[in-house]
Every structure is written in structure tokens, then in C-alpha cells.
């Protein structure tokens, strides 16, 4: 039974005093009993939040009531349990790390690829003069991607600008970019235009919206998401599995994080190997002294860090006066 909702959204819109806004927005989300992860930057918002339908409704109404975010489009999933454990809302320089020395050199509010609605994307993607480009990271497209899509060997989106030169062979074609919810495509398509690609498009709303409005047709595998669910089904037309277990090679769509916190690799692993390897990607990782307890999900809320006693000692000395100064008053 689905008793909760998960909202995926973003909005490129300038925010003054963004760091202060992030702190206030965190308290607002907590007041609605929402959990999730929101990034706030001077350029806008990027978030996934989860809560009761009523809390999610109040949140969406509040966001839309703010003129800065009135254009925000929410992708709504009905879920059986909350998709996060806690609520985080943090200020960062960008809502998507572009990897550019001057992030302001591209602005999705000024120039970006032509937005294609899911049905338009479906109609165009197999045309002869079209290249479908996945702008996501390796661990994302390894578990699911569009049929015949061009994928890039990147660990993080900030590596995308360096990969653009590898796409020069496609400059005479129509480039159809896609990602999970559309946010990375805003910057990827803007960068492609800046680099001389003339006919650039993006899948509006990303894979998630495509699954809801076009049945996910020809999306092979599952879609990686950045919450407790890890991956979600999007194709109800011609579903398939494209990923294989890192350890035994058997077809599997289950993606986990390595139980070794120092490794924490995203990889695909079948249930059988998961229990045998204790949720680790290799034998070496199974022997790590800080290996986390594998519960069959391979999802860990927080990677514990070793206590830095030297740093704590320095902080104490910095923040507190010597004992003799305290007793002197």
C-alpha cells in the first residue's frame, strides 16, 4: 500500500542570500515532517523530498507560491515507505556541479537545448540524423539507459565538459540529451551549444517523466535515483535488464554501495553474491576493519568517518579559554 509520496524537482532561478535561505528552508521542511535532500545555490534549487501526501501537497503549494520558483515542475511518485531517513538542505556553489572554471559562463535561463516532451522524444529518438546522449555517470547508465544511447565514461557530471571533445563526430546531427529528472541536461545542452553543436535538445523532465508519460518505451533496465530506493522501474512497454552482477556476471538489476565505507563503490550485484560477499565488491573489501553490516539492501544512510582526535583537540582549544581564565572571573 502506498502511503507516502516522493517528489523530484529542480528550478534554475536566482536566489539572493541563498545560504540563509537554505537554513530557513530546512526548518520549513522539518515543520512539514518531510525527509529528503535539497541543494540550494545562488542559481536555484535541486531536491528530492518524501513525506505524507498532505505534507507533499503543502510543500508544493509553498514552493509554487514563491514567484522565484513558480515554474517548478514536480515529478511525483507514490511510495510505500519514506525514501529518506533524515532531512538535509545544504548550500552549495551550484545545484549541479558543472566542473567549469567559470560556472556562470553557461546559464540555463538564457540558453539551453530545446525541450522535448516525452512523446516528442519518443518520436524523434530513432531518426537517422539523431544521436541520443546520456549525460549521467557510469554507475547510473550501467543499470539502465535508452536503447542505442551514447554513454560517457564519467564518474561525476563535473567531468562532462572534458568529454565534449569526444562528441565532435556528432556535430552535424541532432543531439537528444537525457538524464534522471532533467537538471543535468539543462547545463549539458547549454554547454554543447556553447561548444558549437547547433541542433541540441533535451528530454524535459528526464527519464522519470518519460516513464510516466511515454511508458518508458525502449529504456532498458532501471533508472538510478538518489534516495533509499536506489533504482526504480520506468519501462512498462518493453522492459528488459541490461546490467550484470560485478562478481559472477549473472544478469541482475540490483545496485548497491560497497559495504567497505572507504570504497563505497556503486555497482550491480545479485542477491546470491551479495550475501556471499557481505555486500562488498571484492574480497579485499570484505576484510576491511570498518566494513558495514550488510542487510540485503546495500544502502547505507551515512558513511561513518574515523574520529580525528587531533582536529577535535585543536577545535576545543580554539573555542574554549584556558581553565585559569574561566576561574579568574
Amino acid at each position: 500500500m502506498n502511503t507516502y509520496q516522493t517528489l523530484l524537482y529542480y528550478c534554475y532561478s536566482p536566489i539572493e542570500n541563498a545560504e540563509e535561505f537554505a537554513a530557513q528552508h530546512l526548518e520549513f521542511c522539518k515543520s512539514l515532517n518531510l525527509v529528503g535532500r535539497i541543494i540550494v545555490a545562488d542559481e536555484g534549487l535541486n531536491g528530492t523530498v518524501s513525506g505524507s501526501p498532505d505534507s507533499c501537497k503543502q510543500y508544493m503549494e509553498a514552493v509554487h507560491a514563491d514567484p522565484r520558483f513558480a515554474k517548478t515542475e514536480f515529478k511525483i511518485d507514490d511510495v510505500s515507505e519514506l525514501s529518506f531517513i533524515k532531512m538535509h538542505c545544504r548550500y552549495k556553489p551550484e545545484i549541479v556541479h558543472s566542473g567549469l572554471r567559470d560556472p556562470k559562463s553557461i546559464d540555463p535561463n538564457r540558453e539551453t537545448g530545446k525541450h522535448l516532451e516525452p512523446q516528442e522524444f519518443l518520436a524523434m529518438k530513432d531518426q537517422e540524423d539523431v544521436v541520443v546522449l546520456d549525460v549521467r555517470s557510469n554507475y547510473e547508465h550501467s543499470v539502465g539507459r535508452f536503447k542505442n544511447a551514447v554513454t560517457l565514461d564519467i564518474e561525476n557530471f563535473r567531468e562532462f565538459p572534458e568529454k565534449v571533445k569526444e562528441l565532435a563526430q556528432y556535430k552535424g546531427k541532432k543531439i537528444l540529451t537525457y538524464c534522471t529528472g532533467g537538471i543535468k541536461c539543462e547545463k549539458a545542452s547549454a554547454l554543447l551549444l556553447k561548444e558549437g553543436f547547433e541542433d541540441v535538445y533535451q528530454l524535459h523532465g528526464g527519464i522519470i517523466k518519460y516513464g510516466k508519460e511515454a511508458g518508458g518505451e525502449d529504456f532498458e533496465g532501471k533508472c538510478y535515483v538518489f534516495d533509499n530506493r536506489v533504482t526504480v522501474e520506468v519501462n512498462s512497454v518493453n522492459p528488459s535488464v541490461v546490467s550484470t552482477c560485478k562478481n559472477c556476471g549473472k544478469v541482475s538489476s540490483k545496485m548497491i554501495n560497497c559495504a567497505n565505507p572507504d570504497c563505497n563503490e556503486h555497482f550491480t550485484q545479485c542477491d546470491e553474491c551479495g550475501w556471499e560477499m557481505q555486500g562488498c565488491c571484492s574480497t579485499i573489501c570484505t576484510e576491511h576493519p570498518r566494513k558495514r553490516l550488510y542487510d540485503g539492501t546495500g544502502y547505507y544512510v551515512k558513511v561513518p568517518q574515523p574520529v580525528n582526535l587531533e582536529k577535535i583537540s585543536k577545535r576545543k582549544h580554539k573555542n574554549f579559554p584556558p581553565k585559569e581564565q574561566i576561574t579568574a572571573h
Side-chain angles (χ1 to χ4, degrees):
M1 181 179 178
N2 294 324
T3 55
Y4 301 101
Q5 289 183 330
T6 295
L7 312 177
L8 174 68
Y9 68 97
Y10 71 89
C11 183
Y12 282 100
S13 181
I15 303 175
E16 289 187 14
N17 303 315
E19 197 162 359
E20 181 181 345
F21 174 86
Q24 295 171 347
H25 201 65
L26 173 62
E27 293 309 310
F28 172 64
C29 290
K30 286 182 176 179
S31 75
L32 294 178
N33 294 314
L34 292 173
V35 291
R37 186 182 298 115
I38 300 172
I39 297 173
V40 176
D42 298 339
E43 64 181 4
L45 297 173
N46 175 15
T48 307
V49 297
S50 191
S52 70
D54 183 59
S55 292
C56 288
K57 181 174 181 289
Q58 290 184 61
Y59 182 76
M60 289 187 285
E61 288 175 347
V63 170
H64 284 148
D66 189 321
R68 296 171 295 182
F69 315 127
K71 64 181 180 181
T72 304
E73 182 174 307
F74 289 91
K75 273 76 73 177
I76 307 170
D77 277 344
D78 294 317
V79 294
S80 59
E81 57 185 35
L82 294 171
S83 300
F84 294 88
I85 303 297
K86 297 180 179 180
M87 185 69 232
H88 298 281
C89 184
R90 297 188 174 97
Y91 172 80
K92 292 189 177 183
E94 298 176 80
I95 54 176
V96 172
H97 191 346
S98 65
L100 296 170
R101 290 183 180 179
D102 179 15
K104 294 182 180 179
S105 64
I106 58 172
D107 181 359
N109 286 314
R110 289 201 316 264
E111 184 176 42
T112 190
K114 303 165 194 171
H115 287 63
L116 292 176
E117 293 303 319
Q119 290 294 344
E120 293 175 311
F121 183 91
L122 175 61
M124 280 185 66
K125 69 180 183 62
D126 294 324
Q127 293 177 11
E128 191 174 335
D129 60 342
V130 163
V131 171
V132 177
L133 176 63
D134 192 321
V135 304
R136 301 173 303 154
S137 304
N138 288 336
Y139 61 88
E140 295 174 83
H141 61 65
S142 70
V143 76
R145 54 193 175 271
F146 275 104
K147 181 181 178 181
N148 299 323
V150 172
T151 58
L152 301 173
D153 182 15
I154 57 176
E155 293 299 321
N156 191 288
F157 183 70
R158 62 176 172 265
E159 299 171 34
F160 180 80
E162 288 297 316
K163 291 289 181 178
V164 172
K165 57 181 176 288
E166 296 180 9
L167 303 173
Q169 59 185 305
Y170 305 122
K171 275 198 172 181
K173 294 181 177 291
K174 296 175 182 175
I175 309 296
L176 274 57
T177 66
Y178 74 88
C179 59
T180 307
I183 187 170
K184 291 177 181 177
C185 288
E186 300 281 10
K187 288 193 173 183
S189 61
L191 184 59
L192 288 169
L193 288 168
K194 182 183 176 184
E195 293 298 321
F197 291 80
E198 297 180 354
D199 217 355
V200 182
Y201 303 78
Q202 63 187 79
L203 174 56
H204 181 54
I207 301 163
I208 300 300
K209 185 177 181 181
Y210 182 83
K212 295 179 183 299
E213 297 185 11
E217 185 173 343
D218 288 339
F219 185 82
E220 301 177 325
K222 292 186 177 182
C223 179
Y224 184 93
V225 290
F226 297 85
D227 58 57
N228 292 17
R229 296 172 295 169
V230 186
T231 60
V232 296
E233 298 277 5
V234 295
N235 190 335
S236 59
V237 179
N238 53 351
S240 61
V241 179
V242 295
S243 50
T244 57
C245 175
K246 178 184 177 77
N247 303 108
C248 71
K250 184 167 65 178
V251 172
S252 175
S253 61
K254 184 178 180 180
M255 176 162 273
I256 71 169
N257 283 349
C258 181
N260 172 3
D262 288 350
C263 173
N264 208 44
E265 180 185 345
H266 292 285
F267 70 102
T268 307
Q269 187 177 62
C270 68
D271 284 325
E272 186 177 338
C273 287
W275 291 111
E276 183 179 337
M277 300 291 294
Q278 302 167 60
C280 292
C281 66
S282 65
T283 303
I284 293 176
C285 285
T286 65
E287 299 168 353
H288 194 277
R290 291 177 49 242
K291 177 174 63 66
R292 296 170 290 198
L293 180 65
Y294 179 66
D295 64 359
T297 65
Y299 179 83
Y300 307 96
V301 176
K302 184 178 180 181
V303 178
Q305 299 296 321
V307 177
N308 189 328
L309 296 177
E310 182 180 355
K311 187 175 182 180
I312 291 175
S313 177
K314 287 181 179 178
R315 189 164 62 238
K316 283 183 177 179
H317 282 94
K318 179 180 179 181
N319 294 337
F320 296 97
K323 186 176 181 180
E324 58 267 21
Q325 289 186 21
I326 296 175
T327 56
H329 293 281

